[in-house]
Amino acid sequence: RLLHNFHRLVEIRESGQIMVETNNHMNGRTHPDLKNLLNAWRHRLPNDEECLAMWDDIFFWRSHMFNAITSNFQWAEHTALTALHDKPWTAIRMAKVARKQASRNTSFLLLNRLTENQSMDVSDAYLKLREQILLYNNPDDERERTGGLNLINTTNLSYFDDAQKSELFRLKAIYLASLRRTSKSNQAYCHSVQICPSHSKSWISWGGLCSSLGAMTEKQAEQTKGTENSEEAVKSEKEKTKRVAQYLAQAMGCFLEAVQVDQTEKSRIHLPKCLWMLTKDGPTPGVLCQTLEGRGTSLPPFVWLPWIPQLLSGLCRSEGRVIRNLLSRVVKAYPQAVYYSLRA
């Protein structure tokens, strides 16, 4: 509570500065420079897990200040007026927190109120659209998910940049997958990465879809295993095992490509799963080892540092040749890291 009270005091003090600047420039019909203060307000936020009452307390006050600014500068041009307040972003950020805290009705209400505000730039319009789409992602209601898919399909994407278009196609693929339209979901993911190859979220989500398809196929193979002893049953089982390896190879390729374009922790966290997938190749190197060899060796050596023990243990398995190529690059760049793991 003490931190919350200090937050309020700081906002009130800065609001006083805004009022002084507004009065001085309003009389001279000039525009005040509020960029630094608005930027500070964007960065000074409560934690996402704070109760909505705290968020509403801060954001309602900010909205009050933005309304005061816009009422005093109604004579200003549209582009100049949008630089004097941050009303759309504030409402969208509040709606995002409400959605994360499972208050979907509150989020819907905030976004619907924002529709009345026409002074919104492209970035805010994109954030608002993304929040509206995510609100329809209800795992218990197929009709709502269909509504989210329809919202994406009826949106004019010509105003957005490549990264924003790629994210919208990623969301479309997620909805298609949830509606069990895996073929169209794969097409949407493919379109997403074609628009923006550096969009790591699309690669990760696509890899997750391929991984889930592989797990589903493997589960079906285990259920039918042993029910029949005919040659056709054995042949069907081999085909399903091959399909599992192909799905996992596609997933591995997506995860490794995500690390290639974005080397942050969110992408690198999927590397141990790629190493685990190698066990599905069987006793001899197959398509999974080929995928790791083709894409993994081009990654920066530092991404493998946390997984040196796993790489060392893989030297004595069927994927040993591929692992040796990875380790050789790590040894050249970080010899001490490998040495101390070997010594341990």
Side-chain angles (χ1 to χ4, degrees):
R1 296 301 304 173
L2 186 63
L3 181 61
H4 295 171
N5 289 333
F6 272 112
H7 195 164
R8 294 187 183 96
L9 288 173
V10 173
E11 300 264 336
I12 291 174
R13 181 175 65 89
E14 293 174 343
S15 299
Q17 298 174 3
I18 291 177
M19 294 172 67
V20 172
E21 290 287 328
T22 300
N23 290 331
N24 293 337
H25 287 269
M26 183 179 61
N27 296 330
R29 288 213 166 229
T30 56
H31 303 113
D33 186 7
L34 303 177
K35 290 182 180 179
N36 292 335
L37 196 143
L38 295 179
N39 189 50
W41 277 13
R42 281 199 179 196
H43 287 85
R44 191 194 304 121
L45 299 173
N47 295 321
D48 286 353
E49 63 271 12
E50 299 281 359
C51 64
L52 280 180
M54 176 59 190
W55 279 86
D56 184 65
D57 193 16
I58 297 297
F59 276 39
F60 185 80
W61 173 257
R62 291 183 182 183
S63 179
H64 170 70
M65 292 302 304
F66 295 149
N67 288 331
I69 294 172
T70 53
S71 62
N72 289 330
F73 290 92
Q74 290 182 351
W75 48 267
E77 297 180 359
H78 171 73
T79 55
L81 186 61
T82 54
L84 299 179
H85 68 88
D86 214 3
K87 190 188 300 183
W89 184 89
T90 301
I92 295 166
R93 190 67 177 83
M94 179 73 182
K96 180 179 180 180
V97 175
R99 173 178 60 82
K100 287 187 173 183
Q101 296 191 13
S103 298
R104 298 176 69 248
N105 292 335
T106 303
S107 187
F108 269 119
L109 181 63
L110 289 167
L111 294 175
N112 289 335
R113 286 179 180 176
L114 190 60
T115 306
E116 303 172 359
N117 185 11
Q118 300 298 326
S119 58
M120 192 186 309
D121 58 17
V122 176
S123 61
D124 288 333
Y126 162 74
L127 291 175
K128 174 179 175 290
L129 174 63
R130 186 176 185 275
E131 281 302 312
Q132 287 177 320
I133 294 171
L134 290 173
L135 279 173
Y136 285 100
N137 192 14
N138 185 359
D140 301 324
D141 193 339
E142 186 173 327
R143 292 176 59 187
E144 284 196 19
R145 298 198 302 274
T146 304
L149 182 61
N150 293 334
L151 178 60
I152 300 173
N153 291 331
T154 56
T155 299
N156 185 4
L157 305 181
S158 60
Y159 299 101
F160 304 127
D161 59 28
D162 289 345
Q164 293 169 344
K165 291 177 184 177
S166 180
E167 173 65 10
L168 292 176
F169 273 101
R170 183 186 77 91
L171 295 176
K172 179 179 179 179
I174 291 175
Y175 277 104
L176 288 170
S178 68
L179 295 171
R180 297 177 295 279
R181 305 177 191 174
T182 54
S183 178
K184 290 186 177 181
S185 179
N186 271 308
Q187 293 176 4
Y189 278 126
C190 184
H191 198 177
S192 175
V193 298
Q194 284 178 347
I195 293 174
C196 185
S198 61
H199 193 240
S200 60
K201 281 186 176 181
S202 294
W203 289 110
I204 293 173
S205 299
W206 197 2
L209 174 64
C210 296
S211 179
S212 63
L213 291 175
M216 187 187 306
T217 305
E218 186 178 18
K219 185 177 180 180
Q220 292 174 354
E222 290 178 353
Q223 290 175 351
T224 58
K225 186 177 181 181
T227 56
E228 297 180 3
N229 296 323
S230 62
E231 293 182 0
E232 293 183 358
V234 174
K235 185 179 179 181
S236 176
E237 183 180 341
K238 288 183 179 179
E239 289 179 355
K240 286 183 178 180
T241 304
K242 185 178 179 181
R243 283 173 56 196
V244 170
Q246 290 174 346
Y247 279 133
L248 294 181
Q250 293 174 1
M252 181 188 294
C254 291
F255 290 143
L256 295 176
E257 189 65 29
V259 179
Q260 184 72 44
V261 300
D262 180 22
Q263 294 156 13
T264 59
E265 186 178 353
K266 288 184 178 180
S267 299
R268 288 188 282 122
I269 200 170
H270 298 281
L271 288 176
K273 189 171 186 178
C274 295
L275 296 177
W276 168 82
M277 289 177 184
L278 297 174
T279 60
K280 301 298 181 180
D281 245 352
T284 58
V287 64
L288 289 164
C289 287
Q290 294 173 6
T291 303
L292 183 63
E293 186 175 18
R295 295 178 178 267
T297 53
S298 62
L299 298 179
F302 78 88
V303 302
W304 299 107
L305 288 179
W307 318 112
I308 288 177
Q310 285 74 20
L311 293 175
L312 292 173
S313 64
L315 288 172
C316 58
R317 293 195 291 266
S318 60
E319 65 269 18
R321 184 176 62 85
V322 180
I323 297 297
R324 187 168 64 250
N325 294 336
L326 292 177
L327 269 176
S328 64
R329 300 181 71 250
V330 178
V331 168
K332 291 177 182 178
Y334 306 97
Q336 286 185 329
V338 182
Y339 166 73
Y340 284 114
S341 297
L342 283 170
R343 185 177 180 180

